Amino acid sequence: MSKSEVVELPVLQGGDVVPCCPPITAGELSQADAEKMAGMFKALSDPVRLRLFSKIASHPGGEACVCDIADVGVSQPTVSHHLKKLREAGLLTSERRGTWVYYQVAPSVVAAMAAMLDLRG
Amino acid sequence: MSKSEVVELPVLQGGDVVPCCPPITAGELSQADAEKMAGMFKALSDPVRLRLFSKIASHPGGEACVCDIADVGVSQPTVSHHLKKLREAGLLTSERRGTWVYYQVAPSVVAAMAAMLDLRG
DNA sequence: CCAGCGTATCGACAAGCATCGAAGCAAGGA
DNA sequence: TCCTTGCTTCGATGCTTGTCGATACGCTGG
């Protein structure tokens, strides 16, 4: 489903931010932009998802096997459910390598979220 | 409930970030930190709240009267409900001045959220 | 003190969501 | 080919949440 190249480090070079929505200080949000942004924030609005995401983001290379992060206090199907939500929101990508499935953070999408919250608009 | 001093501008001077939680790349999130962060993101996970918030943030001085922003396509009680959610999450403060109630953005809290999303941890 | 306007709370309802166990699918080894 | 292991999907369930109309509260002017 995703590329074979593995992102070396979740470090942003200059300008590596997907232009998604204007910063919240830049005037009224359109209905469409509001829904797009709300979807991203909703993906991070659950403690379990946040812990899964931080586990992946803090792994070397910004990627981790499901088996490395599954210990967050909920059942394994629930972990899979949450990873799917994060993937659908564009915050993670996934890739099967043999027996295991690896999840990677999508740095540009995360950077876009941070940019929306920049009050120095 | 809040102070009488009105924030002059939602501009951040150096270091004006409430130390809330470590950036998501700084290792596994504790249960408590994950819940605190999830509460903040949840506050912005609704299109109506996002539009209300952007209307306030884009107003001069980072504050607005309810009557100035209430036109977001839902009923007045619903607007009040959403503003309460944003207030409870710490993203807004409110202040009654005569007949009207003014809402202000809490710049340091928003900056803290942006800091959590900084992948250059 | 009463009427009117702006805002908040209440109670109810429908829709959404997190969670689980069971079952399904994919890959690898015996 | 069968079994095992890793992960996903399915179906059900209980809780949370967005929404509204009705009502209550706070302030101002008459």
Side-chain angles (χ1 to χ4, degrees):
Chain A
M1 181 178 291
S2 55
K3 293 282 73 52
S4 51
E5 290 288 296
V6 176
V7 173
E8 173 158 321
L9 265 181
V11 170
L12 304 173
Q13 299 89 323
D16 194 4
V17 176
V18 168
C20 160
C21 306
I24 40 190
T25 50
E28 303 186 13
L29 236 43
S30 72
Q31 183 69 29
D33 281 348
E35 283 173 7
K36 207 188 306 175
M37 286 182 61
M40 293 173 149
F41 284 116
K42 183 172 290 182
L44 292 181
S45 70
D46 182 276
V48 173
R49 282 199 288 272
L50 228 26
R51 296 185 70 191
L52 288 170
F53 190 76
S54 78
K55 283 196 173 199
I56 296 171
S58 63
H59 254 244
E63 79 161 23
C65 166
V66 175
C67 55
D68 289 331
I69 60 175
D71 182 24
V72 285
V74 294
S75 71
Q76 198 275 325
T78 302
V79 169
S80 194
H81 165 75
H82 285 305
L83 289 174
K84 183 178 186 179
K85 289 276 188 131
L86 288 166
R87 208 182 341 126
E88 289 172 342
L91 292 169
L92 293 179
T93 57
S94 67
E95 180 185 357
R96 173 159 226 133
R97 290 209 286 273
T99 304
W100 299 279
V101 175
Y102 289 82
Y103 279 80
Q104 303 102 19
V105 304
S108 62
V109 179
V110 179
M113 289 185 68
M116 296 176 212
L117 293 176
D118 194 346
L119 294 181
R120 298 157 307 192
Chain B
M1 181 178 291
S2 56
K3 291 282 72 51
S4 52
E5 290 289 296
V6 176
V7 173
E8 172 159 323
L9 266 182
V11 170
L12 304 175
Q13 298 90 323
D16 191 5
V17 175
V18 169
C20 160
C21 306
I24 40 187
T25 50
E28 301 187 15
L29 237 42
S30 72
Q31 183 68 28
D33 281 349
E35 285 173 5
K36 207 187 308 175
M37 287 183 60
M40 295 174 151
F41 285 117
K42 183 173 293 183
L44 292 182
S45 72
D46 181 274
V48 173
R49 283 198 287 273
L50 227 27
R51 296 186 71 193
L52 288 170
F53 189 77
S54 78
K55 282 194 174 201
I56 297 171
S58 63
H59 254 245
E63 81 162 20
C65 167
V66 175
C67 55
D68 288 331
I69 60 175
D71 183 24
V72 286
V74 294
S75 70
Q76 188 273 321
T78 301
V79 169
S80 194
H81 166 74
H82 284 305
L83 288 173
K84 182 178 185 179
K85 288 280 189 120
L86 288 166
R87 206 181 344 125
E88 289 172 343
L91 292 170
L92 293 179
T93 58
S94 67
E95 180 186 356
R96 169 159 229 134
R97 290 209 286 273
T99 304
W100 298 277
V101 176
Y102 289 81
Y103 279 80
Q104 303 100 20
V105 304
S108 64
V109 179
V110 179
M113 288 184 69
M116 296 177 212
L117 293 177
D118 194 347
L119 293 180
R120 298 157 307 192

